[in-house]
Amino acid sequence: MGYQHLVIAWRRRLAWQAAGALVLAALLQPAAGMTGATAAEPVSGIAIQGEPKFAPGFTHFNSVNPKAPQAGRLVQGVLGSFDTTNPFIIKGVPVAGVRDYVTESLLARGIDEPFSLYGLIAESVELPDDRSEVTFNLNPKARFSDGRPVTATDVLFSFENLRDKGRPNHRAYFKKVVKTERLGDLKVRFVFDNGGDRELPLILGVMPIFASHVLTSETFEQTSLSPFIGSGPYTMAVIDPGRSITYKRNPDYWGRDLPVNRGRFNFDEMRYEYFRDDNVMFEAFKNGELDVRFEDNPALWSQGYDIPAVREGRIIKAEIAAQQPAGMHALVFNTRRPLFANRAVRQALIQLFDFEYVNRSLFNGLYKRTESFFERSMLSSAGRAADEEEKRLLTPFTTAVDPNVMAGKSRLPTTDGTGRNRANLAKALQILSDAGYKAVNGQMVDPAGKPLAFEMLVNSAQQRLLSGFAADLARIGIAMSIRQVDQAQYQARLRTYDYDMIQYSWPSSLSPGNEQLFRWSGPIGRQDGSFNFAGVDNPAADAMIGAMLAARSPEAFQSAVRALDRVLLSGDYVIPLYHVPRYWIAHSSRIKYPAQSPMVGLLLDTWWTQKK
């Protein structure tokens, strides 16, 4: 799976999760003017801790070029296909880009901080210190692309349909709202239950807002290839079903002069071309049909770009420092299946994955092994002993965390990189033997005599990695078949958890929040359409997420996240794979970007095309 595919897939997941994964909030302390007697007075921004980085009256974010020319076109490649322009429902495979360029939220995320929100559709917010409710005051200038004003009616319509008919993450988040109130055409209030979720006001802040005069409650959850109407900077200009989509910058965009938008959305056109095969997509990039490619294949990065376009300077290779946690890219066990409900089987397969050999033979030794669900950040528990707050949180769950994980001494199995992996193979055999498995006529069988065999479901060619793993498993009689299906079938099977194992990536940020429920909550994981692909159903994980959402100090928040990390690592739900140490990017020489990258990750909307 190439990095271009991962980036697009991650963006699609973020769009699907909408508020959940875009607001990856941690502890949300009151911002300036939000304490004491002025706690509910209108403010223009709220921050993770203390005050927002940018005071009222700021002109633009730091990691943009406010003087960037607005012209040209950016063409990106996407693996797969699409059959709907609505990414906010369970049905269909949504097109890329809607959440990025067409729909807007009440507030805009600050791109130079772990987590802050500033005025967008809502020009100000009223939020008491206990965060038991939130009131949004809408900007009277806000307009949909058809010229109609954005009103409180649209806000409530969006909320109600996402709550009742949206993806499970929206349903889970918004059911915590016990009362809504329309206080005028441009004012709306939300009141929450007493669940202690201090992130919820900000989840509402990034809720996508739909046009109630275009959609209806009856049509909202239907797939459609009609242009999606939003209030954002672009409109859908050309839709070629399953093949491409072109967004054009709206010359009448109401919010173009807002500080949160200055220096952004610089291309006249944003186009996504869809490909069935990554090799074909790579060739299209080399031939100049695509303008940018995000790479995570070290072999391609070190050898595949020795082409005339690079040597002549028409394509630029760049390495950009990553400020975001690496997240978890892994082979995922579906623990809903009886085979992988057995933890011993999962532990044995973890022993059999030879990362060092894979990294050396396939990836030039340039990957790093992922040891945490919050890799490459202070939120990771790897190599760190649990602090007193973590111990207190985990006390009711005495068996939920492995002692070595609690002590920060646990490491994934390592090998000498030769490909023999004999020591770990012996450990895997011992684990299976202790669980009652044995080899019979070259097959590993369970106590009832059933062969240990399973299917790996994929939707793109991943043969180099998976065939080697299958061969290692076969050495001790475990049969892993690889089933490749098209994008539509793959998404349908993921939606209903119809697989034994998949390869998947959960992105992470410096401020995880409610999206963790959508990934690891037992109750949500029992509903179709969640991202709890491993089938985690662990009261300790649910409790740690609850502690994280209720945290009132940075220290308490970090402890809760690390405690969650320890629970997930101890559960052996995945075989962690690897991550790139830096962003590897190749792009057309006419494409430029700011010297300072956003803290929230690479944003193509801050790039521009150099005028000739």
Side-chain angles (χ1 to χ4, degrees):
M1 177 180 293
Y3 192 60
Q4 175 71 4
H5 187 198
L6 289 178
V7 167
I8 296 300
W10 287 6
R11 287 182 175 174
R12 180 177 295 166
R13 292 164 201 147
L14 291 176
W16 286 345
Q17 295 183 56
L22 286 172
V23 183
L24 307 178
L27 169 68
L28 302 174
Q29 295 288 350
M34 296 182 65
T35 59
T38 61
E41 292 184 358
V43 293
S44 60
I46 48 181
I48 279 182
Q49 301 161 12
E51 299 181 3
K53 180 181 179 117
F54 298 96
F58 79 101
T59 59
H60 58 82
F61 294 130
N62 290 342
S63 52
V64 303
N65 175 9
K67 298 180 180 180
Q70 294 194 327
R73 180 175 70 172
L74 182 73
V75 183
Q76 305 172 61
V78 188
L79 281 179
S81 184
F82 68 91
D83 60 14
T84 180
T85 56
N86 185 351
F88 306 106
I89 58 175
I90 293 178
K91 298 177 182 178
V93 179
V95 70
V98 177
R99 191 64 180 91
D100 298 309
Y101 305 118
V102 174
T103 63
E104 290 184 309
S105 51
L106 293 164
L107 302 174
R109 186 172 183 178
I111 65 177
D112 298 319
E113 306 153 80
F115 180 70
S116 289
L117 293 182
Y118 297 89
L120 187 59
I121 289 177
E123 60 184 1
S124 66
V125 184
E126 299 170 26
L127 187 64
D129 181 59
D130 65 0
R131 302 189 186 275
S132 60
E133 63 177 70
V134 63
T135 298
F136 297 99
N137 300 302
L138 307 190
N139 191 322
K141 298 179 180 179
R143 294 287 187 275
F144 290 106
S145 60
D146 60 5
R148 295 281 290 272
V150 183
T151 69
T153 299
D154 300 304
V155 174
L156 292 175
F157 171 84
S158 304
F159 167 79
E160 290 164 0
N161 280 280
L162 289 170
R163 178 196 62 194
D164 300 336
K165 301 178 181 181
R167 299 190 65 84
N169 57 308
H170 288 116
R171 301 183 192 192
Y173 303 155
F174 294 165
K175 73 180 181 181
K176 299 179 182 180
V177 177
V178 296
K179 181 181 179 181
T180 61
E181 193 172 1
R182 187 180 186 278
L183 301 178
D185 287 346
L186 301 176
K187 195 179 188 75
V188 62
R189 175 173 174 251
F190 297 88
V191 181
F192 312 131
D193 64 17
N194 59 356
D197 184 348
R198 293 178 60 81
E199 185 191 19
L200 191 53
L202 284 93
I203 289 200
L204 285 167
V206 293
M207 173 179 66
I209 304 303
F210 313 131
S212 61
H213 65 279
V214 176
L215 292 170
T216 68
S217 295
E218 290 72 28
T219 62
F220 175 76
E221 59 184 340
Q222 298 175 4
T223 60
S224 171
L225 287 170
S226 298
F228 202 92
I229 302 297
S231 62
Y234 289 83
T235 60
M236 293 183 174
V238 181
I239 303 170
D240 187 357
R243 297 180 179 180
S244 70
I245 184 167
T246 300
Y247 298 95
K248 286 194 175 182
R249 189 153 50 82
N250 182 2
D252 300 318
Y253 173 45
W254 73 273
R256 62 181 177 273
D257 295 324
L258 292 177
V260 295
N261 290 329
R262 194 164 289 125
R264 303 176 68 181
F265 310 114
N266 300 310
F267 296 99
D268 287 338
E269 290 187 5
M270 302 287 286
R271 181 179 175 87
Y272 292 90
E273 292 281 356
Y274 280 76
F275 296 84
R276 301 287 184 174
D277 182 86
D278 187 60
N279 293 325
V280 176
M281 186 165 69
F282 184 45
E283 291 300 317
F285 171 73
K286 291 193 297 182
N287 293 333
E289 298 173 38
L290 305 177
D291 294 317
V292 62
R293 179 177 173 89
F294 296 85
E295 191 63 76
D296 79 335
N297 186 327
L300 270 182
W301 187 245
S302 60
Q303 303 170 21
Y305 291 83
D306 185 13
I307 56 176
V310 173
R311 293 192 294 269
E312 296 166 7
R314 289 180 282 113
I315 289 178
I316 305 298
K317 288 179 63 181
E319 296 190 12
I320 300 177
Q323 300 187 61
Q324 285 288 293
M328 176 58 75
H329 180 204
L331 303 181
V332 184
F333 301 109
N334 185 358
T335 62
R336 302 173 184 85
R337 297 289 171 93
L339 172 64
F340 290 138
N342 187 334
R343 186 181 173 196
V345 174
R346 306 198 302 269
Q347 290 176 324
L349 267 62
I350 291 172
Q351 289 288 334
L352 292 169
F353 184 79
D354 191 343
F355 166 74
E356 284 72 24
Y357 177 73
V358 167
N359 195 30
R360 180 181 65 82
S361 62
L362 299 183
F363 306 126
N364 292 1
L366 296 179
Y367 275 139
K368 290 187 177 181
R369 188 76 189 268
T370 300
E371 297 269 359
S372 165
F373 285 80
F374 304 96
E375 181 73 38
R376 202 175 58 197
S377 77
M378 287 294 294
L379 301 176
S380 170
S381 68
R384 184 192 304 269
D387 60 30
E388 293 304 314
E389 176 63 9
E390 290 180 71
K391 293 176 182 177
R392 185 190 70 80
L393 291 172
L394 291 166
T395 294
F397 309 98
T398 55
T399 62
V401 177
D402 182 277
N404 286 326
V405 174
M406 184 69 82
K409 297 179 179 179
S410 177
R411 294 293 306 277
L412 289 168
T414 59
T415 70
D416 60 10
T418 63
R420 290 185 287 270
N421 199 16
R422 292 173 180 171
N424 291 341
L425 187 147
K427 292 178 183 178
L429 285 171
Q430 187 61 56
I431 292 171
L432 292 171
S433 177
D434 292 344
Y437 284 80
K438 61 183 179 181
V440 177
N441 297 326
Q443 284 188 318
M444 186 64 64
V445 299
D446 66 13
K450 182 178 180 180
L452 202 171
F454 65 96
E455 180 182 87
M456 166 68 73
L457 182 69
V458 302
N459 76 322
S460 61
Q462 300 157 1
Q463 296 296 327
R464 294 188 305 166
L465 171 69
L466 299 180
S467 61
F469 185 44
D472 285 343
L473 297 180
R475 292 171 64 186
I476 62 171
I478 300 175
M480 183 184 90
S481 60
I482 301 172
R483 175 73 178 279
Q484 183 167 340
V485 298
D486 62 28
Q487 177 74 1
Q489 186 177 356
Y490 184 74
Q491 293 298 333
R493 291 184 62 174
L494 258 61
R495 193 174 299 122
T496 58
Y497 317 117
D498 182 17
Y499 51 83
D500 296 327
M501 179 181 279
I502 59 171
Q503 183 176 347
Y504 194 77
S505 296
W506 289 279
S508 187
S509 81
L510 295 171
S511 51
N514 267 276
E515 83 290 341
Q516 301 299 312
L517 285 168
F518 200 52
R519 299 174 181 184
W520 317 121
S521 164
I524 293 178
R526 290 190 285 272
Q527 305 174 36
D528 288 354
S530 84
F531 296 112
N532 187 349
F533 294 118
V536 177
D537 195 351
N538 189 328
D542 293 336
M544 296 310 104
I545 297 172
M548 177 183 70
L549 296 176
R552 286 177 171 262
S553 73
E555 295 78 15
F557 171 73
Q558 291 177 9
S559 294
V561 177
R562 291 192 200 115
L564 172 62
D565 193 31
R566 295 184 201 276
V567 171
L568 296 175
L569 292 171
S570 298
D572 297 316
Y573 299 111
V574 303
I575 302 176
L577 294 178
Y578 38 72
H579 60 277
V580 294
R582 297 168 66 86
Y583 295 125
W584 297 331
I585 302 173
H587 62 84
S588 166
S589 60
R590 66 180 178 80
I591 303 298
K592 308 298 179 182
Y593 46 84
Q596 176 180 326
S597 298
M599 182 176 290
V600 298
L602 293 177
L603 295 176
L604 295 185
D605 65 52
T606 66
W607 295 20
W608 66 93
T609 184
Q610 187 67 47
K611 291 183 177 179
K612 294 182 180 180

